[in-house]
């Protein structure tokens, strides 16, 4: 079960409580069974699942809700709290205590480490830090070129030499090079190892002695599920300054298992990879992650995304208001979808809005880059009147637009249906939720 499916299953379980006329023991046990099934299918350890759900059931049946909170709301809060505990309870960010801050990245071969190095460099760059990346991977000839390809467009310098075979020498020289450049953060990439963790730990120790990093970061593939436990545990025992990034959580069938397995070791998860793009790396906060997973939203995360976006594209408060209230033309819709894409996968962004959860129809949010390009071509063949008032577009206009854009009437209909779906959905959103959002955005 992918994380998206896990979130939908958990959200549906909570809806049973929200929609019930009365909450009794039978309903509580039914919901607990639903949660058990969802977590086990997501490859979370059975023992952990049973312990978690036993505690949810006990609290749901025994605790009295605080004043001003209904029993339904209290049970939902219990599920949220217990799932957050399962994944580590508190966020533990990487703290930039001195400059240059040296980060050493290690990982099993195929874990997505090199891509994650680029993502982490971009993450810090967006926050105003000057970053340098050292490639000391002497096993994979393409690693240096891969980092250059990923980071050159963002003007992040990569130090490396594909001809050099001494990884420790490369790491040491790279760190000294960037010290001379006056960068704020130096990220050192290392060679990925095969399944045997001992080689990974040994190289980590050798390079650590040479460059004395402030933090060593282990990259773990989220698709390996419960096997992440042994990797995380070995790493935690080898270094007292370790932290972890779990990758490939956008479509992972075992993401829940990997996250819970790592958390069970007590090793801090600092980031998670949620997509293939260089910006698809998120600081890991168990409470915010679970809140989104349950469909309860993540306003803080959404605000941070908008703050990042404002630095790169024009996205005014008026745009936000029009988007949230469904008052937008075809031109507005395109501009907003294009801007939202720069914040990350649209599905993840919209689920940061409280109340949306998993109620969004897939056709509303499944707007990939290719479809956006096609939409732009189609809209270029429309008149200004049609763009401002899509309701006037009848079949004969559709045929003219299709001919002019080199597409089909079906493609034009698809664009118009996308527009109608989004407009309809946002118009039906709870007005109280919109008012709360508007206050938070200062609208």
């Amino acid at each position: 079960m992918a994380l998206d499916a896990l979130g939908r299953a958990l959200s549906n379980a909570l809806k049973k409580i929200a929609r019930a006329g009365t909450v009794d023991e039978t309903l509580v046990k039914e919901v607990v069974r639903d949660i058990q099934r969802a977590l086990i299918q997501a490859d979370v350890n059975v023992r952990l699942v049973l312990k978690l759900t036993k505690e949810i059931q006990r609290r749901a049946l025994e605790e009295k809700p605080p004043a001003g909170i209904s029993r339904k709301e209290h049970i939902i809060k219990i599920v949220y709290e217990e799932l957050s505990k399962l994944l580590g309870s508190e966020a533990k960010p990487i703290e930039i205590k001195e400059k240059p801050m040296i980060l050493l990245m290690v990982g099993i071969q195929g874990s997505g480490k090199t891509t994650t190095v680029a993502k982490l460099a971009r993450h810090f760059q967006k926050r105003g830090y000057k970053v340098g990346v050292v490639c000391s991977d002497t096993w994979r000839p393409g690693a240096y070129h891969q980092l250059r390809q990923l980071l050159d467009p963002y003007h992040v310098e990569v130090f490396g030499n594909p001809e050099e075979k001494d990884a420790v020498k490369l790491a040491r020289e790279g760190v000294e090079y960037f010290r001379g450049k006056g960068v704020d953060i130096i990220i050192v990439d290392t060679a990925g190892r095969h399944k045997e963790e001992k080689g990974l730990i040994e190289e980590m120790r050798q390079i650590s002695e040479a460059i004395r990093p402030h933090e060593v970061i282990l990259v773990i593939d989220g698709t390996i599920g419960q096997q992440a436990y042994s990797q995380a545990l070995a790493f935690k025992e080898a270094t007292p300054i370790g932290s972890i990034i779990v990758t490939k959580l956008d479509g992972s069938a075992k993401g829940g298992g990997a996250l819970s397995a790592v958390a069970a070791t007590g090793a801090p998860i600092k980031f998670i990879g949620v997509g293939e793009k260089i910006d698809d790396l998120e600081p890991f906060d168990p409470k915010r992650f679970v809140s989104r997973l349950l469909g309860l939203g993540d306003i803080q995360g959404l605000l941070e995304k908008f703050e990042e976006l404002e630095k790169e594209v024009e996205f005014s408060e008026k745009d936000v208001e029009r988007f949230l209230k469904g008052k937008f033309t075809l031109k507005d819709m395109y501009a907003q979808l294009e801007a939202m894409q720069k914040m990350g996968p649209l599905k993840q962004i919209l689920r940061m809005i409280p109340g949306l959860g998993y109620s969004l129809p897939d056709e509303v949010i499944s707007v990939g880059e290719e479809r956006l390009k096609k939409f732009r071509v189609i809209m270029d063949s429309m008149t200004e009147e049609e763009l401002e008032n899509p309701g006037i577009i009848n079949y004969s206009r559709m045929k003219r637009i299709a001919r002019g854009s080199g597409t089909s009437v079906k493609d034009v209909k698809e664009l118009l249906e996308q527009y109608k779906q989004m407009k309809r959905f946002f118009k039906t959103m709870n007005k109280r939720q919109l008012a709360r959002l508007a206050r938070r955005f200062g609208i």
Side-chain angles (χ1 to χ4, degrees), residues 344-360:
L346 187 61
K347 184 181 292 186
Q348 292 175 25
I349 299 304
L350 293 180
R351 284 185 184 151
M352 290 181 174
I353 301 173
L356 292 197
Y358 295 84
S359 57
L360 286 167

Side-chain angles (χ1 to χ4, degrees), residues 274-285:
V274 294
E276 296 179 0
K277 294 181 180 179
I278 197 167
D279 291 308
D280 293 341
L281 184 75
E282 289 186 2
F284 182 65
D285 183 325

Side-chain angles (χ1 to χ4, degrees), residues 102-158:
I102 302 172
L103 306 176
L104 176 62
M105 306 283 284
V106 297
I108 300 296
Q109 198 172 58
S111 61
K113 177 180 51 60
T114 299
T115 303
T116 301
V117 167
K119 288 181 177 182
L120 191 61
R122 173 66 175 150
H123 169 84
F124 285 121
Q125 184 197 47
K126 286 191 295 184
R127 282 151 183 80
Y129 294 103
K130 187 177 180 183
V131 186
V133 172
V134 178
C135 178
S136 66
D137 185 343
T138 57
W139 287 66
R140 193 164 64 89
Y144 172 73
H145 299 293
Q146 182 184 354
L147 282 169
R148 287 283 308 271
Q149 185 178 21
L150 289 167
L151 291 171
D152 279 358
Y154 301 98
H155 309 291
V156 175
E157 189 175 359
V158 179

Side-chain angles (χ1 to χ4, degrees), residues 47-48 220 224-235 257-258 260-266:
R47 182 177 55 81
L48 288 177
I220 289 182
I224 67 174
Q226 294 178 44
Q227 296 174 45
Y229 183 88
S230 61
Q231 285 183 24
L233 191 60
F235 175 71
S260 58
V262 173
T265 68

Side-chain angles (χ1 to χ4, degrees), residues 348-388:
Q348 292 175 25
I349 299 304
L350 293 180
R351 284 185 184 151
M352 290 181 174
I353 301 173
L356 292 197
Y358 295 84
S359 57
L360 286 167
D362 286 341
E363 60 269 22
V364 173
I365 51 180
S366 58
V367 186
E369 288 183 11
E370 291 306 312
R371 289 182 71 198
L372 269 182
K373 287 178 184 175
K374 186 183 288 185
F375 286 174
R376 167 55 75 192
V377 172
I378 293 170
M379 288 162 59
D380 284 344
S381 292
M382 293 181 180
T383 65
E384 196 66 27
E385 185 183 16
E386 289 166 343
L387 290 170
E388 293 292 337

Side-chain angles (χ1 to χ4, degrees), residues 217-393:
I217 302 172
L218 174 67
V219 179
I220 289 182
D221 184 339
T223 65
I224 67 174
Q226 294 178 44
Q227 296 174 45
Y229 183 88
S230 61
Q231 285 183 24
L233 191 60
F235 175 71
K236 185 192 174 191
E237 291 172 349
T239 173
I241 53 171
S243 57
I244 288 175
I245 297 177
V246 182
T247 64
K248 306 178 187 178
L249 291 179
D250 49 323
S252 167
K254 298 185 177 183
L259 285 173
S260 58
V262 173
T265 68
I269 303 172
K270 300 279 179 85
F271 290 90
I272 54 174
V274 294
E276 296 179 0
K277 294 181 180 179
I278 197 167
D279 291 308
D280 293 341
L281 184 75
E282 289 186 2
F284 182 65
D285 183 325
K287 291 179 179 177
R288 286 163 59 177
F289 180 83
V290 170
S291 183
R292 296 213 306 264
L293 199 63
L294 297 177
L296 303 176
D298 176 10
I299 288 296
Q300 185 182 347
L302 189 61
L303 286 168
E304 289 171 3
K305 293 272 187 186
F306 273 106
E307 285 170 7
E308 285 180 19
L309 186 64
E310 284 171 357
K311 297 174 185 176
E312 299 185 21
V313 296
E314 293 184 11
F315 204 75
S316 68
E317 289 182 353
K318 186 178 178 183
D319 290 330
V320 177
E321 181 181 26
R322 286 161 70 88
F323 184 82
L324 291 175
K325 294 187 177 180
K327 294 180 179 178
F328 50 85
T329 65
L330 271 172
K331 284 199 295 188
D332 291 327
M333 182 191 82
Y334 182 89
Q336 288 153 9
L337 286 176
E338 192 173 45
M340 294 287 271
Q341 274 213 332
K342 293 182 181 180
M343 295 164 67
L346 187 61
K347 184 181 292 186
Q348 292 175 25
I349 299 304
L350 293 180
R351 284 185 184 151
M352 290 181 174
I353 301 173
L356 292 197
Y358 295 84
S359 57
L360 286 167
D362 286 341
E363 60 269 22
V364 173
I365 51 180
S366 58
V367 186
E369 288 183 11
E370 291 306 312
R371 289 182 71 198
L372 269 182
K373 287 178 184 175
K374 186 183 288 185
F375 286 174
R376 167 55 75 192
V377 172
I378 293 170
M379 288 162 59
D380 284 344
S381 292
M382 293 181 180
T383 65
E384 196 66 27
E385 185 183 16
E386 289 166 343
L387 290 170
E388 293 292 337
N389 183 17
I392 66 171
I393 301 176

Side-chain angles (χ1 to χ4, degrees), residues 29-193:
K29 289 183 175 179
E30 182 184 340
V31 169
V32 164
R33 281 195 298 273
D34 288 347
I35 293 171
Q36 283 179 345
R37 190 179 304 114
L39 291 172
I40 289 171
Q41 287 179 344
D43 201 40
V44 178
N45 181 275
V46 174
R47 182 177 55 81
L48 288 177
V49 172
L50 294 177
K51 182 180 177 183
L52 166 80
T53 51
K54 184 178 179 181
E55 184 62 9
I56 290 174
Q57 183 169 307
R58 183 194 68 76
R59 291 183 62 189
L61 294 175
E62 295 178 7
E63 287 185 11
K64 289 185 179 180
I69 296 180
S70 69
R71 191 175 180 206
K72 292 179 183 180
E73 291 170 332
H74 186 55
I75 292 173
I76 290 171
K77 185 171 181 284
I78 287 169
V79 173
Y80 162 73
E81 289 175 348
E82 294 301 325
L83 279 171
S84 297
K85 286 181 190 175
L86 177 72
L87 297 181
S89 290
E90 298 297 329
K92 297 177 181 178
I94 291 177
E95 298 178 16
I96 310 301
K97 296 178 180 177
E98 59 181 273
K99 297 178 182 179
M101 179 89 167
I102 302 172
L103 306 176
L104 176 62
M105 306 283 284
V106 297
I108 300 296
Q109 198 172 58
S111 61
K113 177 180 51 60
T114 299
T115 303
T116 301
V117 167
K119 288 181 177 182
L120 191 61
R122 173 66 175 150
H123 169 84
F124 285 121
Q125 184 197 47
K126 286 191 295 184
R127 282 151 183 80
Y129 294 103
K130 187 177 180 183
V131 186
V133 172
V134 178
C135 178
S136 66
D137 185 343
T138 57
W139 287 66
R140 193 164 64 89
Y144 172 73
H145 299 293
Q146 182 184 354
L147 282 169
R148 287 283 308 271
Q149 185 178 21
L150 289 167
L151 291 171
D152 279 358
Y154 301 98
H155 309 291
V156 175
E157 189 175 359
V158 179
F159 176 94
N161 179 3
E163 304 302 318
E164 177 60 62
K165 300 302 178 186
D166 187 338
V168 177
K169 180 185 176 186
L170 266 177
R172 187 189 298 113
E173 290 179 351
V175 168
E176 288 308 310
Y177 173 79
F178 283 119
R179 280 187 191 277
K181 285 271 189 172
V183 302
D184 302 316
I185 299 170
I186 303 171
I187 304 175
V188 181
D189 187 20
T190 60
R193 287 290 180 260

